[in-house]
Amino acid sequence: MINLGNSEFDNYIAEEIQKYNGVSMPLKTGVLRRLLVTRVGCKRLHPNPNDEFSRPEIGPSYRIISDYEKKFLHYGCPSDFCVMGLDPIVVERMHPDGYMILNGHHRWAAAIRLGYKKIPIKIVNFTHEEDIKEILAHSVHDKRVTLDLDEVVFCPEGNGMTAQGEKALSFPFNRFYKERLRVGIPALFRFFEKNGYDIWVYSSKFYSTDYIKSLFNRYHVKVTGIVTGTEKRRNKEFRAKHDKLIKEKYKHTLHVDSDTVLKIYSKTGEFEEYDIESKNAWSKNVMDIVGAAK
């Protein structure tokens, strides 16, 4: 039996956002709690005011919610999303109580509307503006390089690139870290370090920053900044503040993807573009381009 209709649920979202407006703040969570998928009360989860789901002009997709409701009713109470082929709700712990939803609003909405008591969650530590300010304050470099984690840094399985991945980590780390780095990434990152670049990686997914740092440590490299959930950071305020902080800190940025290296000058916005000719010696080509473009 569905307990909340569309208009009632819209009101519920509005009330939740109003309740925590100006009083909530993110909290960091320890490693052990972030390693585990746990079940918590649905009403301990709160909608993210910066997500499209919560914005009145866009709002929830009740078609998507209805699809999840049908799936939940078919499988029963959603105590284990894996059985349904679904990921747990990705959340961040918040003050004064509960968790802020980062990814999974529609799954949460379906559970709430069906009157379910608990739902599986995965807690992550998210990168905020304050974290970026602290990273920049401790950096001694005036130039940086940016790379996309999923498209460039990681070696995707099943698309013909597996052979180009770095050697898999030894047991038991290979059980915990599922991602493999593209071949040459550790050497490339070390090259950037030696040449005075801060290394920033971005992803549309909601990785825990500690998880990514720890994964890179296993390959003996470090990164300066990690920004995840970029698809959910479409609000102009965050983007404007982020871009302003970056422009004030760095004289130029190198953006590296699979095919090109783009050198962007912060003050003027002008850029230079260099093609990566050989995919078989990708990291060596990037090093040569960067060395010649100084």
Side-chain angles (χ1 to χ4, degrees):
M1 179 70 68
I2 295 177
N3 294 334
L4 292 175
N6 294 0
S7 60
E8 292 174 302
F9 189 67
D10 285 340
N11 291 335
Y12 177 75
I13 295 172
E15 290 170 1
E16 280 285 289
I17 292 172
Q18 181 61 35
K19 178 180 177 182
Y20 291 96
N21 184 28
V23 299
S24 67
M25 66 179 189
L27 299 175
K28 298 297 184 184
T29 302
V31 175
L32 183 60
R33 293 184 66 184
R34 286 185 283 107
L35 288 175
L36 304 174
V37 173
T38 187
R39 293 175 67 227
V40 301
C42 290
K43 291 193 174 182
R44 294 188 65 197
L45 273 61
H46 310 298
N48 189 337
N50 294 322
D51 195 279
E52 292 180 352
F53 177 95
S54 304
R55 290 161 54 186
E57 69 273 20
I58 302 175
S61 167
Y62 285 102
R63 179 190 61 79
I64 296 175
I65 293 173
S66 177
D67 289 343
Y68 281 128
E69 288 172 349
K70 292 173 184 175
K71 199 162 195 173
F72 290 172
L73 289 170
H74 176 75
Y75 284 96
C77 181
S79 59
D80 185 0
F81 276 180
C82 291
V83 174
M84 308 180 206
L86 301 175
D87 294 324
I89 310 299
V90 179
V91 301
E92 177 181 48
R93 195 160 63 96
M94 61 176 278
H95 172 84
D97 61 73
Y99 306 89
M100 179 74 72
I101 300 173
L102 299 177
N103 193 33
H105 280 87
H106 289 92
R107 280 166 279 158
W108 165 75
I112 284 278
R113 279 162 48 95
L114 289 171
Y116 290 140
K117 300 298 183 184
K118 293 188 175 183
I119 198 167
I121 65 166
K122 175 72 173 177
I123 306 172
V124 301
N125 286 339
F126 201 41
T127 306
H128 291 273
E129 180 191 343
E130 292 76 15
D131 300 309
I132 293 174
K133 286 180 179 179
E134 185 174 351
I135 292 168
L136 294 175
H138 288 85
S139 169
V140 297
H141 299 135
D142 63 354
K143 53 187 179 180
R144 70 165 186 158
V145 60
T146 64
L147 306 96
D148 184 278
L149 272 177
D150 304 294
E151 299 295 330
V152 180
V153 177
F154 292 156
C155 180
E157 298 288 342
N159 68 350
M161 290 186 61
T162 304
Q164 297 177 17
E166 286 284 324
K167 182 180 178 181
L169 295 171
S170 60
F171 180 84
F173 301 113
N174 60 341
R175 298 294 181 87
F176 182 66
Y177 302 104
K178 302 300 182 183
E179 297 80 10
R180 286 177 63 185
L181 302 189
R182 180 196 287 252
V183 68
I185 283 291
L188 182 60
F189 279 20
R190 187 67 58 84
F191 169 83
F192 283 129
E193 277 189 78
K194 289 182 177 180
N195 283 273
Y197 282 90
D198 281 350
I199 302 169
W200 288 71
V201 292
Y202 292 78
S203 174
S204 61
K205 297 182 180 179
F206 286 95
Y207 296 104
S208 169
T209 54
D210 292 335
Y211 173 85
I212 298 300
K213 285 180 182 177
S214 182
L215 171 61
F216 284 136
N217 284 340
R218 294 295 166 193
Y219 287 94
H220 310 289
V221 295
K222 296 180 179 179
V223 295
T224 309
I226 300 168
V227 182
T228 61
T230 54
E231 278 298 303
K232 297 293 183 180
R233 297 191 196 250
R234 293 176 180 171
N235 63 88
K236 293 180 180 179
E237 184 179 357
F238 175 84
R239 293 295 296 271
K241 289 181 178 179
H242 171 272
D243 293 347
K244 184 174 184 292
L245 290 170
I246 294 300
K247 288 180 179 180
E248 289 175 350
K249 175 65 178 179
Y250 301 109
K251 65 180 182 182
H252 74 255
T253 292
L254 291 180
H255 179 68
V256 179
D257 64 25
S258 295
D259 302 307
T260 60
V261 175
L262 200 64
K263 185 174 183 179
I264 307 167
Y265 296 92
S266 298
K267 287 186 177 180
T268 64
E270 295 178 344
F271 64 90
E272 300 165 5
E273 187 173 2
Y274 306 89
D275 292 330
I276 300 173
E277 300 295 339
S278 173
K279 303 302 183 290
N280 294 325
W282 179 83
S283 60
K284 177 63 167 60
N285 272 260
V286 174
M287 292 181 197
D288 291 341
I289 290 171
V290 174
K294 286 184 179 179

